[in-house]
Every structure is written in C-alpha cells, then in structure tokens.
C-alpha cells in the first residue's frame, strides 16, 4: 500500500490501482482526491472534511454515525459505528474509538472514528484511542487544541507501531513543526516526518 500525506490530516492510499482518501479537509490539496473511489471521514470538523468538495466529487463517503454532515445529503453516505468491519475501494477497514477528544469542559463532543486500514495503517482522527488490534503504521496527530505534545508521544508509544508519521500539523509554523517532529523523532521508534505530497 502506498501512502501519500497531504496537508493537515488528509492521506491518500493506493493499492492495486485503487484509491482511498481519508479526511480531505478544507486545507488539503484537491489533487489528493484525483481518481479516488471512496472517502473515509473521521468526524465532522472542516479541517477533516470539505463537504462542498466531496459533494462535487460524487464518490461514496463513509462517516461516523451521528456526524452532522447535512451538505452531503445528495451523496451515498454510509454511516459507520465503532467495531464495524467493511471493505471500501478494495481496502479492509475497521472503525474504532467513538468520540472526539475534549478541548475543554467536554467540548466539542462529536462522533469521531479512527480507521484501521489494510495491513495495519491507523488514522485516529481527532482522538487518541489505542486500538485492540496491532498497528503497523500510525498516523499520529502532531498538534491540536485538544492535545499536549506529551499526550501524542504517550499515544504513539502505547500503540507501538513499527512506523509512525505526523498528521494534524497544518496549524503550526516551521519552528513549531520542527519542534514537534524533533520530539517525535527522538521519542518514538520508527517515526519519520512526511511533508505534504511525500509518500511512504
């Protein structure tokens, strides 16, 4: 499976000529969706889902039960629950987790699913849920208003993946990104930063 990271939380997965995209938000590049057969959405926030772009694309979208995505009403949206296993664009997927990490006082409290995809790639969305199944490649949030750096490191260590790459990093400047990637490289075995457009 070929993974290409795009800006913020968006990743493009390719295998045997098939394409699946996860979390194409408003900051991600439109080219991430070129040839996509389907899209997985972890939750309803615009940095993870650009509903107007997806409505124009017209491919099947998989999103958590309870996610508020009214602008996608004309599309074939499949609602997914934690624990559900399904195949999309030829990729086996298991949905895990259930809720967005709280920012403060329990807010925002929306549905959030992480996805275990293929042979062990894990995209957690906006949560630090550690799945019960083995993870081979972890996409670890690098910065968020709901997270401290120590939590990201502890999460990555708890998951124990062989490989780890940063997502959720579009809100930090170059100095901040250097700090985030430096800490992860120093503390998380198998970590490698991918810039938008780079593949692993």
């Amino acid at each position: 499976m070929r993974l290409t990271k795009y800006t913020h939380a968006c990743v493009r997965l390719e295998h045997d000529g098939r394409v699946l995209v996860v979390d194409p938000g408003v900051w991600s590049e439109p080219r991430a969706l070129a040839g996509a057969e389907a899209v997985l959405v972890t939750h309803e926030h615009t940095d993870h889902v650009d509903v107007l772009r997806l409505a124009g694309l017209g491919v099947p979208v998989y999103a958590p039960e309870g996610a508020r995505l009214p602008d996608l009403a004309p599309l074939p949206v499949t609602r997914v629950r934690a624990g559900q296993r399904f195949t999309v664009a030829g990729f086996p997927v298991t949905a895990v987790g259930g809720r967005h990490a709280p920012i403060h006082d329990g807010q925002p409290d929306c549905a959030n699913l992480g996805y275990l995809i293929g042979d062990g790639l894990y995209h957690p969305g906006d949560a630090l849920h550690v799945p019960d199944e083995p993870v081979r490649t972890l996409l670890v949030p690098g910065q968020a208003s709901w997270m401290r750096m120590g939590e990201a490191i502890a999460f990555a260590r708890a998951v124990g993946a062989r490989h780890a790459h940063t997502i959720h990093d579009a809100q930090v400047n170059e100095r901040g990104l250097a700090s985030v990637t430096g800490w992860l490289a120093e503390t998380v075995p198998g970590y490698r930063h991918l810039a938008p457009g780079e593949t692993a």
Side-chain angles (χ1 to χ4, degrees), residues 5-28:
K5 184 208 186 288
Y6 286 93
T7 297
H8 203 53
C10 180
V11 295
R12 175 186 173 95
L13 306 174
E14 299 173 71
H15 183 67
D16 289 340
R18 306 193 75 180
V19 178
L20 175 64
V21 178
V22 185
D23 278 4
V26 295
W27 296 329
S28 66

Side-chain angles (χ1 to χ4, degrees), residues 63-78:
E65 283 183 338
R68 293 180 301 255
L69 299 165
D71 293 333
L72 289 178
L75 290 182
V77 177
T78 300

Side-chain angles (χ1 to χ4, degrees), residues 10-12 19-25 28-41 48-62 71-72 74-77 88-89:
C10 180
V11 295
R12 175 186 173 95
V19 178
L20 175 64
V21 178
V22 185
D23 278 4
S28 66
E29 296 81 355
R31 71 178 181 270
L33 289 163
E37 291 181 50
V39 171
L40 295 176
V41 172
H48 292 258
V49 56
D50 183 339
V51 292
L52 294 179
R53 195 183 303 164
L54 291 183
L57 188 65
V59 301
V61 175
Y62 293 75
D71 293 333
L72 289 178
L75 290 182
V77 177
V88 58

Side-chain angles (χ1 to χ4, degrees), residues 147-165:
M147 185 188 74
R148 293 174 298 147
M149 190 74 240
E151 292 173 314
I153 293 167
F155 169 64
R157 287 178 168 172
V159 171
R162 183 182 305 169
H163 307 284
H165 307 290

Side-chain angles (χ1 to χ4, degrees), residues 62-184:
Y62 293 75
E65 283 183 338
R68 293 180 301 255
L69 299 165
D71 293 333
L72 289 178
L75 290 182
V77 177
T78 300
R79 298 300 180 157
V80 181
R81 66 187 179 288
Q84 188 172 341
R85 295 176 188 272
F86 54 99
T87 300
V88 58
F91 294 83
V93 177
T94 302
V96 299
R99 302 305 297 173
H100 189 291
I103 292 178
H104 86 95
D105 293 336
Q107 297 298 320
D109 185 26
C110 68
N112 180 95
L113 291 174
Y115 297 109
L116 284 161
I117 304 165
D119 63 351
L121 173 82
Y122 181 39
H123 190 307
D126 276 9
L128 300 177
H129 176 82
V130 177
D132 294 331
E133 298 181 37
V135 174
R136 186 175 171 161
T137 302
L138 173 64
L139 302 176
V140 59
Q143 183 278 335
S145 54
W146 47 267
M147 185 188 74
R148 293 174 298 147
M149 190 74 240
E151 292 173 314
I153 293 167
F155 169 64
R157 287 178 168 172
V159 171
R162 183 182 305 169
H163 307 284
H165 307 290
T166 316
I167 57 168
H168 213 278
D169 55 4
Q171 291 183 304
V172 291
N173 62 24
E174 289 178 19
R175 290 183 305 278
L177 185 58
S179 176
V180 166
T181 59
W183 275 108
L184 289 170

